[in-house]
Amino acid sequence: LQDCSVSLSIKLQNRRRADTVLERFLSNTIVPVETIETIVEGKCGDSAYVECLKSLHKKIQYVQSQDDDLDDTIAIPPVDAVASRDVIACLQKLRVKAVYRIR
């Protein structure tokens, strides 16, 4: 019974760690719909527009980063994650759209 309890406790700790790491990764890669709408349709030069561009820039930097010390529990840099490869194309398209609108 004690072995079962210890095993369940370890599984719970592992799930919590995985949840924390996944939450951090997702919050640094997902672009909210409002940000996309502001970049695509918003007024260039507006303070909200500039803030959205800054947010997009941070997300692109994160996805392309080689920094693997973001969390001690995993040693996978964001650039090596399969999800990053899927997301980077969309982020780059949004960046190109923003540059096109500014010019």
Side-chain angles (χ1 to χ4, degrees):
L1 186 61
Q2 186 175 1
D3 290 341
C4 183
S5 175
V6 169
S7 175
L8 289 174
S9 176
I10 291 171
K11 287 180 183 179
L12 179 61
Q13 288 174 353
N14 289 343
R15 285 187 182 144
R16 285 184 179 158
R17 266 191 235 128
D19 184 48
T20 302
V21 171
L22 185 58
E23 181 181 353
R24 185 178 304 144
F25 178 80
L26 290 175
S27 68
N28 286 321
T29 50
I30 293 177
V31 179
V33 174
E34 296 82 20
T35 301
I36 294 171
E37 288 175 352
T38 302
I39 291 173
V40 173
E41 300 170 358
K43 183 179 176 186
C44 293
D46 189 27
S47 62
Y49 189 81
V50 172
E51 288 303 315
C52 289
L53 290 179
K54 288 179 184 179
S55 172
L56 178 64
H57 179 71
K58 287 179 185 177
K59 290 179 186 299
I60 290 172
Q61 281 185 323
Y62 174 79
V63 170
Q64 293 177 337
S65 72
Q66 295 286 337
D67 192 14
D68 63 349
D69 63 2
L70 295 172
D71 195 320
D72 297 334
T73 59
I74 60 169
I76 301 172
V79 73
D80 292 338
V82 175
S84 292
R85 290 183 224 138
D86 293 341
V87 169
I88 192 64
C90 295
L91 293 175
Q92 292 294 356
K93 286 179 186 177
L94 191 56
R95 182 184 63 84
V96 168
K97 179 67 175 177
V99 169
Y100 177 77
R101 288 200 63 222
I102 291 172
R103 290 185 180 183

